[in-house]
Amino acid sequence: MANVAPTLAVRIWRGNAAGAFVGYDVPRQASQTVLDVVTYVQRYLEPTLSYRFSCRVGMCGSCAMTVNGVARWTCRTHVAGVATKDTRPLTIAPLANFPLVRDLAVDMRGFFDKWAKAKGVFQGSATRHDDFARVAPGSPARIAASAGIECIGCGVCHASCDVVRWRPDFLGPAALNRAWTLVSDVRDTAQRERLLAVAGDAGCHACHTQGSCTERCPRGIAPTAAISGLKRTVARQAMRGEL
Ligand code: SF4
Ligand code: SF4
Ligand code: FES
């Protein structure tokens, strides 16, 4: 690696909410990711360091952390892109807006409970004896449903949302994005129940539409657009007296 310092100064959060950053020096490697750095520290310098990962290829959503103040998936975040001369030492902290377990591991239970509150489970009426449903790939509903379906549940959007920080009962961008994929799914049969779930005070209308979730989502999903779709649908159905 030309012109790259042989070691990288890193600060990693240790302990619970009353913990502190601890500094480490990590050898630089070609194409090194932030997750590689954390893994090096855990394997060679600090065996008790707690963090979470699984796939290492951007599929499972378990490796998200706060890197230099910004929520990111760490397995696909290259050190070269975030540790510039202006941003050293590289600072790695747990995701914001989640209860801390310890070190870099946060408690995701409340986050996924919100998916359940937003009725984020598909409910169909077909049985195994029915033919496959045919939904035209170019239909607006199919396009809307497909836009948000590749969410990996990483929590980056949730950690980046001011409203989640201000009011912890807000369902948040990921749960609302999931709800919108199902509202847009013509096969789903729980539409009224789901719209009622997201229409409440802590639902889609609490979003201020500034779009940090969309800016940060590593999968290129736009929860802001999904939430706008929910707002429009809730308002339309309420005006028709259907909610
Ligand atoms: S657009 Fe809405 S959901 Fe997204 S970060 Fe802002 S308040 Fe949160
Ligand atoms: S919408 Fe994007 S940022 Fe939010 S949980 Fe899904 S993949 Fe992660
Ligand atoms: S380890 Fe699976 S998305 Fe990063």
Side-chain angles (χ1 to χ4, degrees):
M1 280 185 307
N3 302 322
V4 174
T7 59
L8 175 75
V10 188
R11 295 163 72 232
I12 295 182
W13 187 263
R14 297 301 319 278
N16 57 19
F21 285 104
V22 176
Y24 305 93
D25 287 322
V26 175
R28 286 295 322 265
Q29 304 285 342
S31 304
Q32 190 174 27
T33 65
V34 174
L35 183 60
D36 292 334
V37 169
V38 174
T39 300
Y40 181 91
V41 171
Q42 195 266 345
R43 291 204 180 145
Y44 298 106
L45 306 176
E46 198 69 79
T48 62
L49 177 67
S50 294
Y51 67 113
R52 203 179 278 127
F53 74 97
S54 180
C55 71
R56 304 186 69 156
V57 290
M59 297 294 291
C60 73
S62 64
C63 68
M65 300 171 201
T66 307
V67 182
N68 287 347
V70 175
R72 296 178 182 277
W73 54 0
T74 57
C75 70
R76 309 236 7 217
T77 299
H78 284 97
V79 170
V82 289
T84 64
K85 67 179 174 21
D86 301 325
T87 58
R88 292 185 189 136
L90 185 67
T91 300
I92 306 172
L95 279 184
N97 298 343
F98 288 82
L100 182 56
V101 177
R102 56 171 267 177
D103 301 336
L104 300 171
V106 295
D107 185 343
M108 304 289 286
R109 284 176 295 184
F111 173 71
F112 288 114
D113 286 349
K114 288 180 176 181
W115 290 45
K117 280 188 190 151
K119 307 291 176 198
V121 177
F122 175 77
Q123 274 193 42
S125 57
T127 72
R128 67 176 70 181
H129 306 295
D130 294 318
D131 196 3
F132 289 111
R134 288 180 171 76
V135 185
S139 64
R142 173 76 174 262
I143 291 169
S146 298
I149 203 70
E150 299 292 342
C151 171
I152 55 174
C154 65
V156 163
C157 55
H158 199 81
S160 307
C161 176
D162 292 336
V163 178
V164 170
R165 186 166 76 243
W166 296 331
R167 48 173 307 173
D169 61 334
F170 175 45
L171 291 172
L176 291 170
N177 174 72
R178 173 64 184 160
W180 177 239
T181 65
L182 293 172
V183 167
S184 305
D185 192 325
V186 296
R187 303 164 306 162
D188 188 276
T189 58
Q191 297 300 342
R192 183 167 187 277
E193 191 187 357
R194 187 170 301 107
L195 287 173
L196 283 171
V198 302
D201 192 37
C204 57
H205 296 294
C207 166
H208 60 23
T209 323
Q210 283 184 2
S212 309
C213 52
T214 299
E215 189 187 317
R216 302 270 168 81
C217 173
R219 300 287 299 178
I221 291 169
T224 318
I227 294 168
S228 297
L230 288 174
K231 287 178 179 173
R232 283 194 307 274
T233 307
V234 165
R236 192 167 53 236
Q237 300 226 359
M239 279 192 292
R240 288 182 190 152
E242 293 171 0
L243 275 188

